[in-house]
Amino acid sequence: MITLYLAEDQSMLNSALTQLLELEDDLHVVGSASDGATAWTEIQQLQPQVAILDIEMPALLGLDVADRIKAAGLTTKVIILTTFAQKAYFERAVAAQVAGYLLKDSPSDDLIEAIRKVMQGQTVYAPELVVNMLSANNNPLTERELAVLAEADKGLPTKTIAANLFLSAGTVRNYLSAIFSKLGVHNRLEAIKLAKQNKWLV
């Protein structure tokens, strides 16, 4: 059973989402709040496996709560669920290493699938967010990350990439993990495809 916490300041949506999630045999909502401060207090007490957070809430933003979860070293995974596709919010979400970032107008099945995916260690960002937020003029990757991705584009294994760039294999894996997180993708092929679409790789 996956335990969930829901923070949403619109009471009708909060109630509707809770009922929807409780219909799934493997999901259980252990608590909910309509403001960020209450959410943060109860998340510390309840230690849910996944926290689904709206961004704009009274007292604390959902992203403030996500920052505190990360800083406190809690194992709770965060999914941001919002109507706002703002660049600054998305960048903060990536920095806070949230496990998911979805728009409220996405189908409910997308949220349920995202919950299960993040419990498997995956990162789930709405594709339209990644495409809209990341452009050729806003490359989130460092030069070293781009170098690692360029080597990966050659189809090289991790050990060979490490040797070519005078790095350890573990460091290369860390770079790849950071790339996947920043771009909201799950593997090398998706990262390379997105980087080429944005002309970060040629």
PDB file of all heavy atoms in Angstrom, residues 157-185:
ATOM      1  N   PRO A 157      29.647   2.672 -23.372  1.00  0.00           N
ATOM      2  CA  PRO A 157      29.286   2.260 -22.008  1.00  0.00           C
ATOM      3  C   PRO A 157      29.887   3.215 -20.990  1.00  0.00           C
ATOM      4  O   PRO A 157      30.804   3.987 -21.294  1.00  0.00           O
ATOM      5  CB  PRO A 157      29.894   0.859 -21.890  1.00  0.00           C
ATOM      6  CG  PRO A 157      31.027   0.849 -22.873  1.00  0.00           C
ATOM      7  CD  PRO A 157      30.598   1.729 -24.007  1.00  0.00           C
ATOM      8  N   THR A 158      29.390   3.148 -19.790  1.00  0.00           N
ATOM      9  CA  THR A 158      29.803   4.068 -18.736  1.00  0.00           C
ATOM     10  C   THR A 158      31.309   4.047 -18.502  1.00  0.00           C
ATOM     11  O   THR A 158      31.944   5.097 -18.360  1.00  0.00           O
ATOM     12  CB  THR A 158      29.070   3.715 -17.419  1.00  0.00           C
ATOM     13  OG1 THR A 158      27.661   3.843 -17.625  1.00  0.00           O
ATOM     14  CG2 THR A 158      29.487   4.646 -16.296  1.00  0.00           C
ATOM     15  N   LYS A 159      31.908   2.857 -18.471  1.00  0.00           N
ATOM     16  CA  LYS A 159      33.350   2.765 -18.203  1.00  0.00           C
ATOM     17  C   LYS A 159      34.171   3.455 -19.280  1.00  0.00           C
ATOM     18  O   LYS A 159      35.172   4.108 -18.988  1.00  0.00           O
ATOM     19  CB  LYS A 159      33.756   1.295 -18.086  1.00  0.00           C
ATOM     20  CG  LYS A 159      33.297   0.630 -16.799  1.00  0.00           C
ATOM     21  CD  LYS A 159      33.826  -0.791 -16.692  1.00  0.00           C
ATOM     22  CE  LYS A 159      33.386  -1.448 -15.385  1.00  0.00           C
ATOM     23  NZ  LYS A 159      33.879  -2.840 -15.274  1.00  0.00           N
ATOM     24  N   THR A 160      33.730   3.344 -20.529  1.00  0.00           N
ATOM     25  CA  THR A 160      34.453   3.992 -21.628  1.00  0.00           C
ATOM     26  C   THR A 160      34.298   5.504 -21.565  1.00  0.00           C
ATOM     27  O   THR A 160      35.255   6.256 -21.793  1.00  0.00           O
ATOM     28  CB  THR A 160      33.948   3.475 -22.994  1.00  0.00           C
ATOM     29  OG1 THR A 160      34.049   2.051 -23.009  1.00  0.00           O
ATOM     30  CG2 THR A 160      34.769   4.048 -24.125  1.00  0.00           C
ATOM     31  N   ILE A 161      33.081   5.954 -21.251  1.00  0.00           N
ATOM     32  CA  ILE A 161      32.864   7.399 -21.085  1.00  0.00           C
ATOM     33  C   ILE A 161      33.780   7.926 -19.988  1.00  0.00           C
ATOM     34  O   ILE A 161      34.411   8.975 -20.133  1.00  0.00           O
ATOM     35  CB  ILE A 161      31.387   7.685 -20.731  1.00  0.00           C
ATOM     36  CG1 ILE A 161      30.472   7.312 -21.900  1.00  0.00           C
ATOM     37  CG2 ILE A 161      31.201   9.159 -20.362  1.00  0.00           C
ATOM     38  CD1 ILE A 161      28.991   7.421 -21.575  1.00  0.00           C
ATOM     39  N   ALA A 162      33.842   7.190 -18.884  1.00  0.00           N
ATOM     40  CA  ALA A 162      34.685   7.595 -17.753  1.00  0.00           C
ATOM     41  C   ALA A 162      36.149   7.709 -18.180  1.00  0.00           C
ATOM     42  O   ALA A 162      36.832   8.690 -17.858  1.00  0.00           O
ATOM     43  CB  ALA A 162      34.527   6.594 -16.611  1.00  0.00           C
ATOM     44  N   ALA A 163      36.621   6.722 -18.921  1.00  0.00           N
ATOM     45  CA  ALA A 163      38.020   6.734 -19.371  1.00  0.00           C
ATOM     46  C   ALA A 163      38.286   7.906 -20.314  1.00  0.00           C
ATOM     47  O   ALA A 163      39.313   8.590 -20.202  1.00  0.00           O
ATOM     48  CB  ALA A 163      38.347   5.411 -20.055  1.00  0.00           C
ATOM     49  N   ASN A 164      37.361   8.153 -21.228  1.00  0.00           N
ATOM     50  CA  ASN A 164      37.546   9.231 -22.208  1.00  0.00           C
ATOM     51  C   ASN A 164      37.577  10.610 -21.553  1.00  0.00           C
ATOM     52  O   ASN A 164      38.254  11.524 -22.035  1.00  0.00           O
ATOM     53  CB  ASN A 164      36.430   9.198 -23.262  1.00  0.00           C
ATOM     54  CG  ASN A 164      36.554   8.013 -24.201  1.00  0.00           C
ATOM     55  OD1 ASN A 164      37.558   7.305 -24.197  1.00  0.00           O
ATOM     56  ND2 ASN A 164      35.529   7.792 -25.008  1.00  0.00           N
ATOM     57  N   LEU A 165      36.820  10.755 -20.458  1.00  0.00           N
ATOM     58  CA  LEU A 165      36.732  12.065 -19.803  1.00  0.00           C
ATOM     59  C   LEU A 165      37.577  12.145 -18.531  1.00  0.00           C
ATOM     60  O   LEU A 165      37.508  13.123 -17.798  1.00  0.00           O
ATOM     61  CB  LEU A 165      35.258  12.373 -19.464  1.00  0.00           C
ATOM     62  CG  LEU A 165      34.302  12.479 -20.663  1.00  0.00           C
ATOM     63  CD1 LEU A 165      32.881  12.739 -20.185  1.00  0.00           C
ATOM     64  CD2 LEU A 165      34.743  13.595 -21.609  1.00  0.00           C
ATOM     65  N   PHE A 166      38.380  11.092 -18.293  1.00  0.00           N
ATOM     66  CA  PHE A 166      39.253  11.034 -17.120  1.00  0.00           C
ATOM     67  C   PHE A 166      38.451  11.170 -15.825  1.00  0.00           C
ATOM     68  O   PHE A 166      38.808  11.932 -14.911  1.00  0.00           O
ATOM     69  CB  PHE A 166      40.345  12.122 -17.205  1.00  0.00           C
ATOM     70  CG  PHE A 166      41.165  12.044 -18.452  1.00  0.00           C
ATOM     71  CD1 PHE A 166      40.909  12.893 -19.511  1.00  0.00           C
ATOM     72  CD2 PHE A 166      42.167  11.088 -18.583  1.00  0.00           C
ATOM     73  CE1 PHE A 166      41.650  12.818 -20.673  1.00  0.00           C
ATOM     74  CE2 PHE A 166      42.930  11.002 -19.750  1.00  0.00           C
ATOM     75  CZ  PHE A 166      42.652  11.864 -20.803  1.00  0.00           C
ATOM     76  N   LEU A 167      37.356  10.443 -15.750  1.00  0.00           N
ATOM     77  CA  LEU A 167      36.492  10.428 -14.584  1.00  0.00           C
ATOM     78  C   LEU A 167      36.333   8.996 -14.088  1.00  0.00           C
ATOM     79  O   LEU A 167      36.693   8.052 -14.795  1.00  0.00           O
ATOM     80  CB  LEU A 167      35.100  10.989 -14.932  1.00  0.00           C
ATOM     81  CG  LEU A 167      35.027  12.424 -15.444  1.00  0.00           C
ATOM     82  CD1 LEU A 167      33.629  12.703 -15.982  1.00  0.00           C
ATOM     83  CD2 LEU A 167      35.379  13.406 -14.339  1.00  0.00           C
ATOM     84  N   SER A 168      35.796   8.830 -12.898  1.00  0.00           N
ATOM     85  CA  SER A 168      35.463   7.487 -12.430  1.00  0.00           C
ATOM     86  C   SER A 168      34.092   7.098 -12.983  1.00  0.00           C
ATOM     87  O   SER A 168      33.281   7.970 -13.339  1.00  0.00           O
ATOM     88  CB  SER A 168      35.431   7.445 -10.903  1.00  0.00           C
ATOM     89  OG  SER A 168      34.303   8.162 -10.412  1.00  0.00           O
ATOM     90  N   ALA A 169      33.834   5.810 -13.044  1.00  0.00           N
ATOM     91  CA  ALA A 169      32.536   5.341 -13.534  1.00  0.00           C
ATOM     92  C   ALA A 169      31.406   5.847 -12.635  1.00  0.00           C
ATOM     93  O   ALA A 169      30.325   6.208 -13.109  1.00  0.00           O
ATOM     94  CB  ALA A 169      32.520   3.816 -13.605  1.00  0.00           C
ATOM     95  N   GLY A 170      31.670   5.890 -11.335  1.00  0.00           N
ATOM     96  CA  GLY A 170      30.666   6.379 -10.394  1.00  0.00           C
ATOM     97  C   GLY A 170      30.319   7.842 -10.638  1.00  0.00           C
ATOM     98  O   GLY A 170      29.155   8.242 -10.551  1.00  0.00           O
ATOM     99  N   THR A 171      31.333   8.637 -10.949  1.00  0.00           N
ATOM    100  CA  THR A 171      31.100  10.057 -11.236  1.00  0.00           C
ATOM    101  C   THR A 171      30.266  10.215 -12.500  1.00  0.00           C
ATOM    102  O   THR A 171      29.359  11.055 -12.558  1.00  0.00           O
ATOM    103  CB  THR A 171      32.437  10.801 -11.396  1.00  0.00           C
ATOM    104  OG1 THR A 171      33.167  10.704 -10.180  1.00  0.00           O
ATOM    105  CG2 THR A 171      32.213  12.269 -11.725  1.00  0.00           C
ATOM    106  N   VAL A 172      30.539   9.404 -13.505  1.00  0.00           N
ATOM    107  CA  VAL A 172      29.754   9.451 -14.738  1.00  0.00           C
ATOM    108  C   VAL A 172      28.303   9.097 -14.446  1.00  0.00           C
ATOM    109  O   VAL A 172      27.373   9.753 -14.940  1.00  0.00           O
ATOM    110  CB  VAL A 172      30.341   8.500 -15.809  1.00  0.00           C
ATOM    111  CG1 VAL A 172      29.376   8.349 -16.992  1.00  0.00           C
ATOM    112  CG2 VAL A 172      31.687   9.017 -16.282  1.00  0.00           C
ATOM    113  N   ARG A 173      28.096   8.073 -13.629  1.00  0.00           N
ATOM    114  CA  ARG A 173      26.720   7.695 -13.277  1.00  0.00           C
ATOM    115  C   ARG A 173      26.013   8.838 -12.539  1.00  0.00           C
ATOM    116  O   ARG A 173      24.825   9.097 -12.752  1.00  0.00           O
ATOM    117  CB  ARG A 173      26.725   6.421 -12.427  1.00  0.00           C
ATOM    118  CG  ARG A 173      26.945   5.148 -13.247  1.00  0.00           C
ATOM    119  CD  ARG A 173      26.671   3.904 -12.425  1.00  0.00           C
ATOM    120  NE  ARG A 173      27.704   3.681 -11.428  1.00  0.00           N
ATOM    121  CZ  ARG A 173      28.805   2.976 -11.627  1.00  0.00           C
ATOM    122  NH1 ARG A 173      29.025   2.413 -12.811  1.00  0.00           N
ATOM    123  NH2 ARG A 173      29.698   2.812 -10.668  1.00  0.00           N
ATOM    124  N   ASN A 174      26.767   9.546 -11.683  1.00  0.00           N
ATOM    125  CA  ASN A 174      26.191  10.689 -10.968  1.00  0.00           C
ATOM    126  C   ASN A 174      25.811  11.808 -11.928  1.00  0.00           C
ATOM    127  O   ASN A 174      24.756  12.438 -11.785  1.00  0.00           O
ATOM    128  CB  ASN A 174      27.172  11.221  -9.921  1.00  0.00           C
ATOM    129  CG  ASN A 174      27.322  10.288  -8.728  1.00  0.00           C
ATOM    130  OD1 ASN A 174      26.458   9.449  -8.478  1.00  0.00           O
ATOM    131  ND2 ASN A 174      28.421  10.418  -8.006  1.00  0.00           N
ATOM    132  N   TYR A 175      26.674  12.051 -12.907  1.00  0.00           N
ATOM    133  CA  TYR A 175      26.370  13.073 -13.918  1.00  0.00           C
ATOM    134  C   TYR A 175      25.119  12.688 -14.708  1.00  0.00           C
ATOM    135  O   TYR A 175      24.238  13.527 -14.952  1.00  0.00           O
ATOM    136  CB  TYR A 175      27.545  13.258 -14.882  1.00  0.00           C
ATOM    137  CG  TYR A 175      28.612  14.202 -14.390  1.00  0.00           C
ATOM    138  CD1 TYR A 175      29.945  13.803 -14.309  1.00  0.00           C
ATOM    139  CD2 TYR A 175      28.296  15.505 -14.004  1.00  0.00           C
ATOM    140  CE1 TYR A 175      30.933  14.671 -13.858  1.00  0.00           C
ATOM    141  CE2 TYR A 175      29.281  16.379 -13.559  1.00  0.00           C
ATOM    142  CZ  TYR A 175      30.598  15.959 -13.490  1.00  0.00           C
ATOM    143  OH  TYR A 175      31.566  16.821 -13.044  1.00  0.00           O
ATOM    144  N   LEU A 176      25.035  11.431 -15.100  1.00  0.00           N
ATOM    145  CA  LEU A 176      23.874  10.978 -15.868  1.00  0.00           C
ATOM    146  C   LEU A 176      22.592  11.115 -15.034  1.00  0.00           C
ATOM    147  O   LEU A 176      21.552  11.543 -15.538  1.00  0.00           O
ATOM    148  CB  LEU A 176      24.068   9.532 -16.325  1.00  0.00           C
ATOM    149  CG  LEU A 176      25.093   9.326 -17.443  1.00  0.00           C
ATOM    150  CD1 LEU A 176      25.381   7.833 -17.634  1.00  0.00           C
ATOM    151  CD2 LEU A 176      24.600   9.931 -18.751  1.00  0.00           C
ATOM    152  N   SER A 177      22.681  10.763 -13.762  1.00  0.00           N
ATOM    153  CA  SER A 177      21.521  10.890 -12.881  1.00  0.00           C
ATOM    154  C   SER A 177      21.076  12.347 -12.779  1.00  0.00           C
ATOM    155  O   SER A 177      19.872  12.656 -12.814  1.00  0.00           O
ATOM    156  CB  SER A 177      21.855  10.339 -11.491  1.00  0.00           C
ATOM    157  OG  SER A 177      20.758  10.497 -10.614  1.00  0.00           O
ATOM    158  N   ALA A 178      22.043  13.264 -12.665  1.00  0.00           N
ATOM    159  CA  ALA A 178      21.731  14.695 -12.581  1.00  0.00           C
ATOM    160  C   ALA A 178      21.086  15.182 -13.875  1.00  0.00           C
ATOM    161  O   ALA A 178      20.140  15.982 -13.859  1.00  0.00           O
ATOM    162  CB  ALA A 178      23.005  15.483 -12.295  1.00  0.00           C
ATOM    163  N   ILE A 179      21.588  14.691 -15.004  1.00  0.00           N
ATOM    164  CA  ILE A 179      21.027  15.059 -16.315  1.00  0.00           C
ATOM    165  C   ILE A 179      19.582  14.604 -16.416  1.00  0.00           C
ATOM    166  O   ILE A 179      18.702  15.369 -16.815  1.00  0.00           O
ATOM    167  CB  ILE A 179      21.873  14.431 -17.448  1.00  0.00           C
ATOM    168  CG1 ILE A 179      23.240  15.107 -17.530  1.00  0.00           C
ATOM    169  CG2 ILE A 179      21.146  14.557 -18.798  1.00  0.00           C
ATOM    170  CD1 ILE A 179      24.245  14.361 -18.402  1.00  0.00           C
ATOM    171  N   PHE A 180      19.331  13.351 -16.028  1.00  0.00           N
ATOM    172  CA  PHE A 180      17.961  12.817 -16.106  1.00  0.00           C
ATOM    173  C   PHE A 180      17.015  13.650 -15.231  1.00  0.00           C
ATOM    174  O   PHE A 180      15.887  13.948 -15.627  1.00  0.00           O
ATOM    175  CB  PHE A 180      17.919  11.352 -15.662  1.00  0.00           C
ATOM    176  CG  PHE A 180      18.767  10.420 -16.488  1.00  0.00           C
ATOM    177  CD1 PHE A 180      19.119   9.170 -16.008  1.00  0.00           C
ATOM    178  CD2 PHE A 180      19.224  10.792 -17.748  1.00  0.00           C
ATOM    179  CE1 PHE A 180      19.891   8.301 -16.759  1.00  0.00           C
ATOM    180  CE2 PHE A 180      20.009   9.936 -18.509  1.00  0.00           C
ATOM    181  CZ  PHE A 180      20.343   8.686 -18.010  1.00  0.00           C
ATOM    182  N   SER A 181      17.489  14.010 -14.031  1.00  0.00           N
ATOM    183  CA  SER A 181      16.658  14.772 -13.109  1.00  0.00           C
ATOM    184  C   SER A 181      16.345  16.159 -13.665  1.00  0.00           C
ATOM    185  O   SER A 181      15.196  16.613 -13.638  1.00  0.00           O
ATOM    186  CB  SER A 181      17.360  14.898 -11.753  1.00  0.00           C
ATOM    187  OG  SER A 181      16.592  15.684 -10.865  1.00  0.00           O
ATOM    188  N   LYS A 182      17.377  16.836 -14.190  1.00  0.00           N
ATOM    189  CA  LYS A 182      17.183  18.187 -14.718  1.00  0.00           C
ATOM    190  C   LYS A 182      16.234  18.206 -15.920  1.00  0.00           C
ATOM    191  O   LYS A 182      15.447  19.140 -16.083  1.00  0.00           O
ATOM    192  CB  LYS A 182      18.533  18.784 -15.137  1.00  0.00           C
ATOM    193  CG  LYS A 182      19.417  19.209 -13.981  1.00  0.00           C
ATOM    194  CD  LYS A 182      20.700  19.819 -14.498  1.00  0.00           C
ATOM    195  CE  LYS A 182      21.593  20.303 -13.362  1.00  0.00           C
ATOM    196  NZ  LYS A 182      22.835  20.930 -13.867  1.00  0.00           N
ATOM    197  N   LEU A 183      16.336  17.185 -16.748  1.00  0.00           N
ATOM    198  CA  LEU A 183      15.537  17.164 -17.981  1.00  0.00           C
ATOM    199  C   LEU A 183      14.207  16.441 -17.816  1.00  0.00           C
ATOM    200  O   LEU A 183      13.368  16.473 -18.718  1.00  0.00           O
ATOM    201  CB  LEU A 183      16.333  16.501 -19.118  1.00  0.00           C
ATOM    202  CG  LEU A 183      17.667  17.156 -19.483  1.00  0.00           C
ATOM    203  CD1 LEU A 183      18.255  16.498 -20.725  1.00  0.00           C
ATOM    204  CD2 LEU A 183      17.501  18.652 -19.716  1.00  0.00           C
ATOM    205  N   GLY A 184      14.021  15.790 -16.668  1.00  0.00           N
ATOM    206  CA  GLY A 184      12.771  15.078 -16.445  1.00  0.00           C
ATOM    207  C   GLY A 184      12.606  13.876 -17.348  1.00  0.00           C
ATOM    208  O   GLY A 184      11.506  13.579 -17.828  1.00  0.00           O
ATOM    209  N   VAL A 185      13.715  13.175 -17.600  1.00  0.00           N
ATOM    210  CA  VAL A 185      13.680  11.990 -18.459  1.00  0.00           C
ATOM    211  C   VAL A 185      14.120  10.773 -17.662  1.00  0.00           C
ATOM    212  O   VAL A 185      14.577  10.890 -16.516  1.00  0.00           O
ATOM    213  CB  VAL A 185      14.587  12.174 -19.707  1.00  0.00           C
ATOM    214  CG1 VAL A 185      14.104  13.355 -20.551  1.00  0.00           C
ATOM    215  CG2 VAL A 185      16.043  12.393 -19.296  1.00  0.00           C
TER     216      VAL A 185
END
